[in-house]
Amino acid sequence: MSAPPHRPAHNRPALIALVIVAALGCLALSWWQWQRFESSSGTGQNLGYALQWPLFAAFAVFAYFRFVRLERESEDNDRAEHNTAKPERSAKTVALREIPEGLLPERPKAVRHDDPVLAEYNSYLAQLHANDLDEQIRTAGLPARHTERSAG
C-alpha cells in the first residue's frame, strides 16, 4: 500500500472549503444579528453579536493562512535538514520544543508520614468500608464472597 501523494497546505480543497464555509457562515450570522438589531425587538446584545461574528470569520481566515505558513516553514526546515549536515536557521524559525529548566516553579511533593496514628485511622476507615460493602451485598441478596478486600 503506497502513501497518498503529498499536497501542499495551500492546495487542500477540503480545508479551503471548510474555511470558506466557516467564514461565510459567520458573516451570515452577523447579517442576521444586524437585522435583529434593526428590528423593533432588537437590543444592544444583537448589535454586539453583529459586530462579533465578522471577527470570528476573520479569525478563521487568519488561522488558515497561519497554518499554511507554519506548514510551509516546517517543510522547508525538513528539506534543509535532509540536504545539509548543519542547517542554518534564522532566529525567526527556531521554536522552543521544551520548557527550559528552572522556568516554572517546582511541583509540591506529597509528604509521606509514617505516623502510626494515621495508619491506624486509615485501617479503621478501610474496615468500615469493608463492613459497609458486606452490608450492601447482604441487603441486595447477593451471595457473600469470602474474598480479601483492600480499601486503601
Side-chain angles (χ1 to χ4, degrees), residues 99-106:
I99 298 174
E101 287 291 326
L103 181 66
L104 299 176
E106 292 294 323

Side-chain angles (χ1 to χ4, degrees), residues 94-116:
V94 174
L96 292 177
R97 299 285 181 187
E98 294 181 9
I99 298 174
E101 287 291 326
L103 181 66
L104 299 176
E106 292 294 323
R107 288 186 173 202
K109 300 211 179 350
V111 179
R112 304 285 276 174
H113 291 293
D114 293 329
D115 186 8

